Amino acid sequence: MSKVASILRCTCPKCRKGRLFTSRNPYAFKGGLDMPDHCPVCHQDFKIEPGFYIGALWTSFPIVIILMALISLLLLVYFKMEMNWFFVTLAIILFLLQPIIIRLGRSIWIHLFVAYDPDAENK
Ligand SMILES: [Zn+2]
């Protein structure tokens, strides 16, 4: 699995097999963002230091900006939406996408710090 595929599928950056999140459903009301302490496959520490995922703001923020730009283009240029409806629609769409954005931001963040190890599973 490539690094990009590993990020998008939210798998462990070291073995690219274990799942980063306990639940497969990002919209699970309870525990949708819960992560195990260690990778179930290679035992890579997922909580590298206290507050590690606060840094994921730096990776989820650009995702939000890019999404906002794309959705804005779509709503304003393609659908020619009025401004007041545009802001309401944009806010609702971003709110609904928030669990996925947070997961992706965390996945990118941990992939920046942990290198891939093809033999991680066997150690
Ligand atoms: Zn792993």
Side-chain angles (χ1 to χ4, degrees):
M1 193 190 306
S2 74
K3 189 169 196 164
V4 174
S6 177
I7 289 171
L8 292 176
R9 298 177 97 190
C10 294
T11 54
C12 168
K14 194 171 181 186
C15 66
R16 296 186 180 169
K17 286 183 180 146
R19 306 204 130 265
L20 277 177
F21 294 92
T22 315
S23 167
R24 282 178 172 264
N25 177 11
Y27 291 98
F29 191 69
K30 263 191 174 179
L33 292 173
D34 285 356
M35 302 173 75
D37 290 339
H38 300 274
C39 173
V41 177
C42 70
H43 307 292
Q44 162 67 39
D45 190 3
F46 284 165
K47 310 232 161 118
I48 295 172
E49 60 184 26
F52 176 71
Y53 291 101
I54 292 172
L57 287 171
W58 290 103
T59 50
S60 51
F61 186 63
I63 297 173
V64 171
I65 297 297
I66 291 167
L67 274 176
M68 274 179 74
L70 293 175
I71 295 167
S72 299
L73 268 177
L74 186 77
L75 294 179
L76 292 174
V77 177
Y78 186 75
F79 289 109
K80 300 189 184 339
M81 195 173 264
E82 284 178 42
M83 268 303 164
N84 46 357
W85 283 112
F86 160 72
F87 284 115
V88 171
T89 310
L90 184 66
I92 291 171
I93 291 172
L94 287 177
F95 178 76
L96 291 177
L97 289 177
Q98 208 55 47
I100 293 171
I101 294 170
I102 293 172
R103 277 189 175 211
L104 270 182
R106 286 186 184 184
S107 184
I108 294 170
W109 189 246
I110 195 169
H111 276 80
L112 289 175
F113 291 95
V114 179
Y116 176 53
D117 179 359
D119 297 324
E121 214 179 330
N122 307 317
K123 285 176 184 169

